Amino acid sequence: MTTRIYQERQGQIHRKGKKPFALECDKESLAGAVSQRACVFCGSRVVLYPIADAVHLVHGPIGCAVYTWDIRGALSSGPELHRLSFSTDLQEKDVIFGGEKKLHAALIELIDRYQPKAAFVYSTCIVGIIGDDLEAVCKTVAAETGIPVLPVQSEGFKGNKRAGYEAACNAMFRLVGTGDISNISRHSINILGDFNLAGEIWLIREYFNRMGVEVVANITGDGRVDDIKRCHGAALNVVQCSGATMTLANLIKEKYGTPVIRVSYFGIEDMAESLYAVANHFKDPEMLAKAKEIVRQELEILLPTLKKYRAALTGKKAAIYVGGAFKAFSLVKAFRHLGMQVVMVGSQTGTKEDYQELQEITDEGTIIVDDSNPLELSSFLQEKEVDIFVGGVKERPIAYKLGIAFCDHNHERKEMLAGFTGMMNFAKEVYGSVMSPVWKLVPRKQPQSTQLRASVPACIAGL
Amino acid sequence: MNPTPDISHENNIEFLATPPKNRTRLKGDEDPKQRSESDTPGGKQVDNEAGKRAGETPGSLPRGRGQMPKYVSTTNACKLCKPLGACLAFRGIEGTVPYLHGSQGCATYMRRYIISHFNEPIDIASSSLGEKNAIYGGGANLKQGLKNVSDKYHPQLVGIATTCLTETIGDDLKMIIFEYKKEVPTDQPLPTLITVSTPSYAGTHMEGFHAAILSVLSSLCEKTPAHDRINILPGFLSPADLRLLKEIMTAFALPATILPDISDTLDGPALDEYQMIPAGGTPLAEIRKMGGARATIEFGSTLDQKSGGKYLEQTFEVANHRLTMPIGIKATDRFFELLENLSGENTPARYLGARGRLIDGLVDGHKYVFGKRAVLYGEEDLVVALAGFLAEIGVQPVLCASGGKSGKFQATVAAVTDGLCEDAPETYEDCDFHEIAERAEALAPDLIIGHSKGYQLARKLAIPLIRVGFPIHDRIGGQRILHIGYEGAQQLFDQIANAMIQVKQDRSPVGYSYM
Ligand code: SF4
Ligand code: SF4
């Protein structure tokens, strides 16, 4: 097993136990190690993606744009520009002579065609090399069209996804402060770091509305340019998925003094805590009472159902590998509710503090890993005899190939996993995969003696 | 044996026999000796109504009746990037790890894209270049990456494709590899290293695919004593297609080397151990001997002169037979005729049976499909072959579209549909889904045929989408779609006919359960 771990990566893997906790992270991915990470551009793209009334133009060769076409489950209640994939599709001559002209023309064309509220322009790796002046082109087009045109400095090689989050926040921050903030209530918030996958933000907004809290801007799930422009008028920034949007919250705090709280909407405690934290912030007992009432009502529905799942799932083992570590905290707790134990947990871009926290909330023996790869992940899954793996598209075939259940918990998913309803869905998802009879058929569970014997190895049977 | 480059001999004759008014569009010929692109008869016959994209392929054929609009921006591309094709090709070679020399993002995006279709792991290694490397060159990372891949994966071959970034910064791969080979200590593993240049700003995934194959052949093939095997360069077929292909060759008792062969590597069984490199793929030992083969069969109507088949012909005098992908009856017949010639045997009874059942099935269902109007899109070679199939079953391919731009698309589409369609299909090359959608709406099609990315259009027009090709991202089983042979045609036909039947059934005010 250990042969599957690169010498250079030993420090990025920790087994909770005797040794004092130390985990290296925030490193460039090891060349040749098939990291599950994407790039800076990917980070920017995922954060800004759900802003549905803006044109998102990827300045670069075609791949970067085409691989991000309509890939997220981020829903919009209105316009759906975010689901289109726009590219300048740079060609050889653009690479040689520069792509600014093409970028300018493409922007004008798209803005004419779609009349968006704003345009985001993403730079990709080669744009960083050929040296197009994005800033200048955006400025010109903004002047010509009268809408904000925002460069996103997301050259893929300039760090990892987290650098992309920052670039996205910097771009969004240019919008903040340009909208009218009259008529915003005293009890108002911005929701940051929820991307409205499968409609989650609508659920969360509904909870807040029931508490009497006004939501000014969704950042960025079901997001709108005009809301972001006036989000500095909200009394509080409520940040989930801190990696992705914390930079924006900090920028707003610096300039406008808006306080920030960190929350998570995944899992029972975290969801309830989020509502209480907002109520406590406003020091409004009535609001707190409403929050408690919401939690009571929701749990009344949720808990009896969970019981059934818990009975079936108790004692099963789970592994988690996600993009940002924040999600992993909530997942560890959510699995506890189902009577399950997390035996491996990792993330693409966690920070020292993130991993420290994971170390604190996990059990002895749990493997904690940063920026992992298929070889390591598969060996961990086998070693720990995992029953279900939680991750994204790239993790799924690893689990399935080995005959292990899987739960999608990424940006592509179509199931709502946030809020109390989300906890129910999560339990159903886990149950629906773990309890399938298909696992009785996979080689992992078949004694050799019961397997059919092939006369010719399968791979050469054709000839 | 003489090469038989002419893919649609009959159509030529038909052309000559056709009244001039229908003589606007012609086949794209594969043989440069006979006819170059610019002097293709149709090439000079630019109709006034047909538009050409500014500044492109002078002498290319006029577009169809609808003038294709020219947009600067690309909206919802109908192509993928070049290294992705190279990775797919490398994945079909035994013991091979595909490797991208570039930043991490490209490799990860492509993995995700490929995984979502095949539902199989695909490890694509990357040089994971960072900012420093982008400025000072990626040589050190490439070497470290190769070392790591060699250590852990123990590959026989590493297929290294460049990306836009490393092409732009001008990394000299040949040089870096040369140095690397010298630096590797003798007791360390040194897999075969093959590089291919795949900047996405010059070509689509299919160019990348073919470039990788060419690179493999030109690096590995050696002068070999003549032997009995047949080379097959199938292009990008599904694992199900490749399995059928192997079966057919076995049935003809023609030993074949199929390059690449993703039938096992991207559609493998459930396992209890994670295979670092999945079993299967074309064996390297066989590839090395492809220069001694009796013949090469190469599928693809829009391939250029730098194809693998041409290379083997020019370098090792292996007769090259270029065929349209064997989709539909006519194209499959051609393939079987060729196999009859090569084997000296008749077509095995089971395929005659399959052909007979297919025709019987076409008769059973002909009314449901006749005159239906289809929009199809995807890789050029696939679309050409599908257009031929649709035309022969009485479906009108009203728009054939591709993000590729071989310059041969219109002529080859016209050739395979000639005499079978009232009007030659309109063709859009180098187009995106925005352009396809705009035109499709005006053409009022009954169905759409292509990969998953046409789903939005199908939904908008409320007509069925018949899923073929790559990627299938909104259904399972993309790797099991059978396109080729009589069996593939049967499956496609049943799907198309049933889709049409269902439309009628669903739209019926009373519904019915008996036709
Ligand atoms: S940079 Fe080039 S190779 Fe990489 S994803 Fe973009 S288009 Fe593809
Ligand atoms: S080219 Fe750069 S920006 Fe585009 S996908 Fe690759 S790493 Fe990301």
Side-chain angles (χ1 to χ4, degrees):
Chain A
M1 278 309 170
T2 46
T3 58
R4 295 204 176 168
I5 292 161
Y6 294 91
Q7 194 57 41
E8 294 90 331
R9 289 199 20 84
Q10 299 281 7
Q12 284 165 276
I13 301 162
H14 176 79
R15 285 161 192 273
K16 183 167 170 178
K18 288 141 260 153
K19 274 190 282 167
F21 180 70
L23 192 78
E24 293 171 26
C25 58
D26 223 348
K27 293 172 62 166
E28 277 186 8
S29 296
L30 178 64
V34 194
S35 162
Q36 306 287 85
R37 278 182 186 169
C39 58
V40 181
F41 162 69
C42 175
S44 295
R45 192 78 180 93
V46 293
V47 170
L48 299 175
Y49 183 99
I51 303 175
D53 54 356
V55 152
H56 298 267
L57 174 62
V58 182
H59 185 38
I62 199 62
C64 322
V66 82
Y67 299 133
T68 51
W69 174 16
D70 199 20
I71 61 169
R72 299 188 72 191
L75 301 184
S76 163
S77 53
E80 292 205 310
L81 278 178
H82 64 304
R83 297 185 58 196
L84 303 174
S85 155
F86 301 119
S87 167
T88 47
D89 189 8
L90 292 180
Q91 297 297 305
E92 199 142 20
K93 61 176 186 311
D94 308 313
V95 174
I96 298 167
F97 300 111
E100 291 179 14
K101 261 213 196 116
K102 192 170 192 183
L103 173 60
H104 181 270
L107 273 168
I108 297 288
E109 179 174 278
L110 292 170
I111 293 170
D112 262 8
R113 189 195 292 165
Y114 295 103
Q115 303 289 318
K117 292 282 180 171
F120 290 98
V121 182
Y122 303 76
S123 66
T124 58
C125 285
I126 63 168
V127 171
I129 302 296
I130 63 179
D132 281 357
D133 189 345
L134 236 62
E135 191 76 52
V137 177
C138 290
K139 219 166 145 187
T140 316
V141 176
E144 287 170 24
T145 59
I147 64 164
V149 181
L150 308 155
V152 186
Q153 302 294 349
S154 53
E155 293 89 343
F157 56 78
K158 289 191 171 164
N160 61 31
K161 232 171 160 176
R162 277 223 315 279
Y165 299 153
E166 253 165 64
C169 288
N170 290 332
M172 270 191 287
F173 188 57
R174 294 176 177 220
L175 288 172
V176 177
T178 60
D180 175 21
I181 58 171
S182 48
N183 300 323
I184 292 180
S185 121
R186 201 164 55 83
H187 290 163
S188 56
I189 61 170
N190 297 313
I191 300 180
L192 285 85
D194 186 285
F195 303 105
N196 202 30
L197 306 177
E200 286 169 347
I201 213 166
W202 297 328
L203 189 78
I204 306 300
R205 275 182 78 118
E206 217 248 326
Y207 295 149
F208 286 127
N209 285 343
R210 276 157 74 183
M211 286 164 57
V213 173
E214 176 187 351
V215 179
V216 178
N218 298 343
I219 299 172
T220 55
D222 196 14
R224 296 293 180 275
V225 172
D226 285 344
D227 293 342
I228 299 171
K229 283 179 168 176
R230 63 198 285 267
C231 76
H232 58 298
L236 175 67
N237 278 330
V238 182
V239 185
Q240 185 186 231
C241 186
S242 48
T245 50
M246 201 58 178
T247 307
L248 181 62
N250 289 337
L251 288 168
I252 297 174
K253 186 174 177 188
E254 240 168 68
K255 186 154 175 196
Y256 303 97
T258 317
V260 181
I261 56 170
R262 283 178 62 169
V263 300
S264 164
Y265 308 124
F266 292 113
I268 300 174
E269 297 91 344
D270 288 357
M271 182 63 237
E273 274 306 318
S274 306
L275 301 183
Y276 298 155
V278 171
N280 286 333
H281 172 84
F282 289 116
K283 300 198 173 58
D284 180 335
E286 200 186 321
M287 194 187 282
L288 187 62
K290 281 185 190 154
K292 284 186 174 155
E293 182 54 21
I294 293 170
V295 174
R296 199 190 57 75
Q297 283 175 6
E298 296 286 335
L299 290 188
E300 224 164 64
I301 309 167
L302 177 61
L303 290 179
T305 330
L306 275 191
K307 242 193 208 147
K308 166 186 147 200
Y309 295 125
R310 191 186 159 94
L313 294 170
T314 294
K316 305 272 185 204
K317 288 183 272 184
I320 300 167
Y321 190 75
V322 284
F326 106 93
K327 221 187 283 173
F329 306 147
S330 302
L331 280 168
V332 170
K333 290 182 228 169
F335 274 120
R336 276 213 183 104
H337 270 289
L338 298 174
M340 297 173 66
Q341 191 198 355
V342 172
V343 292
M344 185 218 103
V345 55
S347 80
Q348 291 169 16
T349 56
T351 60
K352 274 231 141 57
E353 301 75 51
D354 291 337
Y355 291 120
Q356 185 66 47
E357 185 164 346
L358 277 177
Q359 141 93 5
E360 277 154 26
I361 62 173
T362 48
D363 300 323
E364 282 298 280
T366 301
I367 297 171
I368 301 174
V369 59
D370 173 63
D371 187 17
S372 196
N373 54 61
L375 295 189
E376 289 171 9
L377 291 172
S378 59
S379 72
F380 296 152
L381 294 182
Q382 282 180 288
E383 176 197 324
K384 292 287 185 184
E385 297 182 342
V386 163
D387 295 293
I388 189 166
F389 189 21
V390 186
V393 174
K394 296 181 299 290
E395 287 76 34
R396 189 172 55 211
I398 303 172
Y400 283 172
K401 189 82 334 195
L402 293 172
I404 292 168
F406 188 78
C407 169
D408 268 299
H409 206 307
N410 64 347
H411 296 308
E412 288 95 349
R413 69 190 151 83
K414 306 288 178 281
E415 292 301 326
M416 189 190 277
L417 297 179
F420 299 108
T421 316
M423 180 66 203
M424 180 99 87
N425 293 342
F426 176 69
K428 266 190 211 158
E429 277 266 313
V430 172
Y431 179 86
S433 190
V434 171
M435 302 310 287
S436 167
V438 73
W439 310 123
K440 298 202 177 98
L441 303 172
V442 298
R444 188 162 83 106
K445 295 284 172 63
Q446 299 272 302
Q448 283 289 321
S449 58
T450 66
Q451 290 179 14
L452 301 174
R453 279 158 306 162
S455 56
V456 191
C459 57
I460 58 165
L463 280 180
Chain B
M1 176 157 312
N2 282 327
T4 52
D6 197 344
I7 56 157
S8 50
H9 182 63
E10 282 169 32
N11 283 332
N12 257 344
I13 296 168
E14 276 169 31
F15 162 69
L16 294 172
T18 331
K21 103 174 158 31
N22 289 332
R23 282 171 56 169
T24 46
R25 280 164 206 91
L26 275 180
K27 63 181 286 295
D29 201 274
E30 307 299 326
D31 191 344
K33 279 165 284 175
Q34 288 174 14
R35 195 183 287 148
S36 77
E37 231 170 49
S38 55
D39 63 21
T40 305
K44 287 183 175 162
Q45 209 178 326
V46 181
D47 344 4
N48 295 331
E49 357 128 63
K52 261 198 306 178
R53 288 181 110 166
E56 273 183 23
T57 14
S60 71
L61 290 167
R63 291 184 185 287
R65 285 165 307 282
Q67 178 164 343
M68 188 175 148
K70 173 64 191 150
Y71 295 116
V72 182
S73 58
T74 296
T75 304
N76 301 339
C78 186
K79 61 179 176 183
L80 298 166
C81 75
K82 213 167 168 181
L84 178 129
C87 290
L88 285 168
F90 286 133
R91 183 31 106 217
I93 299 171
E94 186 185 70
T96 298
V97 172
Y99 185 108
L100 289 185
H101 184 43
S103 339
Q104 183 61 48
C106 310
T108 304
Y109 272 135
M110 290 180 219
R111 285 177 60 213
R112 200 186 56 79
Y113 210 83
I114 296 171
I115 286 170
S116 304
H117 172 90
F118 291 97
N119 283 304
E120 289 284 320
I122 174 164
D123 291 6
I124 299 174
S126 163
S127 293
S128 302
L129 299 183
E131 193 155 14
K132 291 190 299 291
N133 317 112
I135 296 164
Y136 301 112
N141 275 47
L142 176 54
K143 291 176 187 174
Q144 194 200 11
L146 289 175
K147 178 181 177 303
N148 284 334
V149 168
S150 308
D151 282 358
K152 292 296 176 208
Y153 286 82
H154 310 293
Q156 297 176 43
L157 189 155
V158 183
I160 308 155
T162 59
T163 59
C164 303
L165 174 66
T166 48
E167 287 284 339
T168 310
I169 61 178
D171 272 356
D172 182 351
L173 250 63
K174 292 252 152 33
M175 188 64 198
I176 302 168
I177 300 289
F178 179 76
E179 286 170 15
Y180 177 73
K181 284 183 179 162
K182 281 199 306 195
E183 287 162 22
V184 175
T186 41
D187 59 335
Q188 294 296 310
L190 179 61
T192 305
L193 303 173
I194 292 182
T195 61
V196 57
S197 162
T198 45
S200 275
Y201 46 74
T204 70
H205 61 299
M206 283 321 291
E207 274 82 42
F209 185 100
H210 294 303
I213 293 302
L214 184 59
S215 207
V216 167
L217 290 174
S218 59
S219 321
L220 293 182
C221 291
E222 297 150 358
K223 189 110 199 88
T224 323
H227 57 77
D228 246 8
R229 299 185 78 83
I230 307 284
N231 303 324
I232 300 188
L233 304 176
F236 186 15
L237 292 182
S238 76
D241 289 331
L242 292 166
R243 281 193 286 269
L244 178 64
L245 200 54
K246 288 192 206 175
E247 234 181 76
I248 293 171
M249 298 309 282
T250 310
F252 270 101
L254 286 169
T257 300
I258 300 176
L259 176 71
D261 176 8
I262 56 169
S263 62
D264 291 313
T265 56
L266 281 173
D267 194 15
L271 298 169
D272 51 3
E273 268 290 328
Y274 189 79
Q275 283 180 328
M276 298 200 244
I277 302 176
T282 320
L284 290 188
E286 277 185 23
I287 300 175
R288 293 203 168 90
K289 290 195 200 130
M290 284 172 82
R294 283 176 57 199
T296 303
I297 304 173
E298 154 173 275
F299 295 148
S301 324
T302 65
L303 296 174
D304 62 16
Q305 288 310 306
K306 284 190 291 181
S307 72
K310 291 278 172 190
Y311 170 80
L312 291 170
E313 185 168 79
Q314 280 151 12
T315 320
F316 302 102
E317 292 169 359
V318 183
N320 187 38
H321 303 267
R322 192 177 275 185
L323 298 178
T324 300
M325 275 186 178
I327 296 178
I329 294 179
K330 206 164 166 189
T332 307
D333 282 351
R334 291 262 157 72
F335 176 52
F336 275 89
E337 278 158 27
L338 177 59
L339 297 183
E340 286 184 351
N341 284 338
L342 290 172
S343 65
E345 299 287 334
N346 290 334
T347 293
R350 59 206 272 200
Y351 299 107
L352 288 180
R355 189 180 190 282
R357 278 189 297 276
L358 169 60
I359 298 203
D360 192 56
L362 296 182
V363 171
D364 295 341
H366 72 280
K367 279 190 192 171
Y368 306 109
V369 303
F370 184 76
K372 297 294 183 215
R373 298 160 64 79
V375 166
L376 44 159
Y377 57 81
E379 291 128 14
E380 287 168 285
D381 287 334
L382 177 67
V383 173
V384 168
L386 284 168
F389 168 57
L390 293 178
E392 69 188 12
I393 63 171
V395 173
Q396 296 286 317
V398 288
L399 176 62
C400 295
S402 179
K405 47 172 176 180
S406 66
K408 298 179 176 180
F409 188 50
Q410 178 169 26
T412 44
V413 167
V416 295
T417 56
D418 194 25
L420 292 166
C421 292
E422 271 171 42
D423 298 305
E426 290 183 31
T427 50
Y428 274 14
E429 63 168 42
D430 190 20
C431 68
D432 62 24
F433 274 95
H434 181 73
E435 290 154 346
I436 296 174
E438 269 188 346
R439 189 69 194 127
E441 273 172 70
L443 288 169
D446 298 294
L447 75 160
I448 298 178
I449 302 182
H451 53 71
S452 285
K453 304 300 167 186
Y455 173 71
Q456 288 302 341
L457 177 61
R459 185 178 166 108
K460 188 166 172 201
L461 300 180
I463 56 176
L465 169 65
I466 307 294
R467 288 172 178 77
V468 294
F470 173 90
I472 303 300
H473 280 171
D474 63 341
R475 289 289 184 276
I476 63 158
Q479 70 274 49
R480 293 187 290 274
I481 296 178
L482 187 62
H483 307 82
I484 66 160
Y486 303 119
E487 291 90 334
Q490 182 78 71
Q491 292 188 11
L492 289 176
F493 179 76
D494 288 350
Q495 272 195 66
I496 293 168
N498 282 330
M500 293 298 96
I501 290 168
Q502 189 179 348
V503 166
K504 197 165 176 191
Q505 188 179 32
D506 288 350
R507 289 181 189 164
S508 151
V510 292
Y512 46 83
S513 58
Y514 184 82
M515 293 197 292

